[in-house]
Amino acid sequence: MDERCSTHEHRSCQLGWAAMSMGKVDRVRAKAAKRARRRPLSKQAMVDVALRIVDTEGTEAVSMRRVAAEFDTGPASLYAHVRDKDELLRLVLDRVIDEMEVPTADAWQDVVRGFAHNVRSAYQRHADVARLSFAHIPTGEKVLAGSERLLRAMIEAGVPDRVAAWALDILSLYVGADAFEGWIMQQRFSHDARGRPVAEVDADFVASVQHDMGAMPADRYPYLARALPVMTSGTSDERFSFGVDMLIAGFAAQIPEQP
Amino acid sequence: MDERCSTHEHRSCQLGWAAMSMGKVDRVRAKAAKRARRRPLSKQAMVDVALRIVDTEGTEAVSMRRVAAEFDTGPASLYAHVRDKDELLRLVLDRVIDEMEVPTADAWQDVVRGFAHNVRSAYQRHADVARLSFAHIPTGEKVLAGSERLLRAMIEAGVPDRVAAWALDILSLYVGADAFEGWIMQQRFSHDARGRPVAEVDADFVASVQHDMGAMPADRYPYLARALPVMTSGTSDERFSFGVDMLIAGFAAQIPEQP
DNA sequence: ACCTGAACACCGTTCAAGT
DNA sequence: ACCTGAACACCGTTCAAGT
């Protein structure tokens, strides 16, 4: 009551008589004015706010209270639009998934490879949103159309139905895991220098791992010592591309010989 | 103070005179007795408790307050042994990683395949502990020895150093992601029936996905419609094995031709 | 060095009550 | 149907104070 009187909307606070009833009327008016001024609550608007928080601070920074605060209301108000926090975060993920494109290419390998890179890029544009991708089966119209194109590219090239179907699952899992892991790494090595180029972060990581394993007895672990320099070589992009290529090679090996 | 008087250890509560000083002495004695009775705090003991919570309720159920409560103390006491909750959970993961064995086999493919399955089994024995595996680089003695054996098996078979080194990374990422996803799925489909066989849970999942995608227009998405029955076929174990085999095939294709 | 109580600044969700 | 204030039952971490 007291702090409300500090706002200029409560003229009744200056009046001595009939303060009770006038206060009530004014409070109602102020409430209505406030409600009119602010953005109305809706799934769409809530996802907008949540995604902005994800982009700047990561998925763990999203809280019902914080999202609600951006609408000048309490957390309870959100529950008229989503069942719980999990549903809100799933909607955020679906929004990001809508950014992913299946490229057009002649060779099925290029379609699959391009898709994998586009998925990773979309995740990378939105912090650790890939964390939400595990066990999430998107069913949007765009996802169906994209899956259709991917399956067609593979099946027409002779990839068995079962291999093509499972390939999508495995690729999605791998890309999501890579993007999530990449974000954690990025966070870990940006404790002091923010916004540095990825190559530099990679270099720091290399140095740190080599330090951790440097005390390793080379005579007891000859192969590990031999693999160490190459283990920490290459950027995260190169390692990701390599992983995708390994999977594609595996799928390709499942194409039966032409008679 | 009042509720302390309800315990039989505080005889001074019945005494009128010198209650202050006697109460103090008794309180000290009770405290010492309590401390002697309960398990002493230590990293080891804390990991024991945390791992038991993980096993029964999952990693999200672990809280500093709950772990502390098992030692009859407050959460602040834990911070003398670990930097933060993250370190405690990393120690839990390291404990689980110590359960993983690298099998002995002649063919490098069998060593790698067996390793992948052992890693998954260890994760599966401990709820969603695989969630903690992302961006975690274990450096224990046993991990080094295991990595040595894996690298030797691959490199001696002609797998290039770089491929062998990256293969470990990619496999670990894939297995961790699969185990984590598998746990979420399991949770999702055990809302009413707990402890059911995995095959049954898989069957439920199949039915649900087929329902979700059932309304899909078959004429607009012919390849999707064609792949649908096979997409939801097979158990999660079969799909995992398939993914591992795809990677192994990819690595194998990197072995240069013998001259 | 190890431990503690109390406090700080948060959480997700529910529920009766309002419009 | 949508919204709200207040409450419930929690969080991780810090800090001065104790031993």
Side-chain angles (χ1 to χ4, degrees), chain A residues 178-198:
Chain A
D178 178 275
F180 179 43
E181 182 159 88
W183 184 82
I184 302 175
M185 296 280 200
Q186 181 93 10
Q187 287 293 106
R188 184 132 73 218
F189 289 94
S190 69
H191 56 96
D192 46 7
R194 294 191 169 269
R196 288 186 310 156
V198 178

Side-chain angles (χ1 to χ4, degrees), chain A residues 38 73 77 81:
Chain A
R38 73 195 184 193
T73 185
S77 304
H81 299 89

Side-chain angles (χ1 to χ4, degrees), chain B residues 38 41 65 73 76-77 81:
Chain B
R38 74 195 184 194
L41 265 174
R65 301 177 111 95
T73 185
S77 303
H81 298 91

Side-chain angles (χ1 to χ4, degrees), chain B:
Chain B
M1 188 70 178
D2 284 300
E3 69 274 309
R4 300 225 168 179
C5 284
S6 69
T7 78
H8 52 78
E9 286 157 333
H10 289 265
R11 285 177 302 125
S12 65
C13 292
Q14 269 109 42
L15 301 175
W17 55 273
M20 288 290 283
S21 59
M22 281 298 284
K24 198 172 182 181
V25 167
D26 274 13
R27 239 181 289 129
V28 169
R29 258 190 217 136
K31 218 179 201 171
K34 208 174 184 184
R35 197 176 305 172
R37 207 180 317 123
R38 74 195 184 194
R39 239 174 327 177
L41 265 174
S42 75
K43 252 186 206 184
Q44 269 267 359
M46 280 163 58
V47 174
D48 288 343
V49 167
L51 183 55
R52 202 169 56 237
I53 297 172
V54 167
D55 287 349
T56 53
E57 294 172 62
T59 56
E60 312 263 55
V62 175
S63 80
M64 299 300 266
R65 301 177 111 95
R66 219 178 129 176
V67 171
E70 298 244 20
F71 292 95
D72 293 309
T73 185
S77 303
L78 307 186
Y79 289 83
H81 298 91
V82 293
R83 179 198 291 276
D84 52 20
K85 190 188 170 185
D86 257 27
E87 188 184 328
L88 177 57
L89 287 176
R90 268 203 310 277
L91 292 170
V92 169
L93 175 60
D94 282 334
R95 180 79 63 87
V96 173
I97 286 173
D98 259 351
E99 293 180 16
M100 300 169 182
E101 303 287 343
V102 177
T104 51
D106 291 333
W108 69 271
Q109 289 97 329
D110 292 333
V111 179
V112 170
R113 213 190 324 265
F115 168 68
H117 280 85
N118 289 350
V119 170
R120 194 168 95 120
S121 293
Y123 284 145
Q124 283 178 333
R125 281 194 294 274
H126 299 286
D128 62 337
V129 89
R131 177 179 77 88
L132 310 168
S133 70
F134 298 103
H136 177 81
I137 300 145
T139 49
E141 190 70 16
K142 199 182 167 182
V143 172
L144 291 185
S147 302
E148 173 72 9
R149 299 241 318 275
L150 283 161
L151 287 170
R152 193 185 59 188
M154 285 190 275
I155 292 174
E156 279 184 351
V159 177
D161 287 10
R162 198 191 63 140
V163 173
W166 287 7
L168 293 193
D169 258 27
I170 290 164
L171 263 169
S172 301
L173 184 66
Y174 175 67
V175 178
D178 177 274
F180 179 43
E181 182 159 87
W183 184 82
I184 301 175
M185 297 282 199
Q186 182 93 10
Q187 287 292 107
R188 184 131 72 216
F189 289 92
S190 69
H191 56 96
D192 47 5
R194 295 192 167 269
R196 288 186 310 155
V198 178
E200 218 177 294
V201 174
D202 280 350
D204 267 19
F205 170 68
V206 168
S208 131
V209 168
Q210 279 182 335
H211 175 266
D212 276 10
M213 292 189 166
M216 189 180 61
D219 51 336
R220 285 190 58 200
Y221 304 122
Y223 286 95
L224 208 46
R226 178 176 160 182
L228 186 64
V230 93
M231 213 167 196
T232 53
S233 77
T235 65
S236 57
D237 286 355
E238 284 167 353
R239 293 152 78 89
F240 171 71
S241 291
F242 175 78
V244 171
D245 286 343
M246 290 304 94
L247 285 171
I248 289 176
F251 302 144
Q254 298 290 310
I255 300 176
E257 296 286 331
Q258 292 293 41

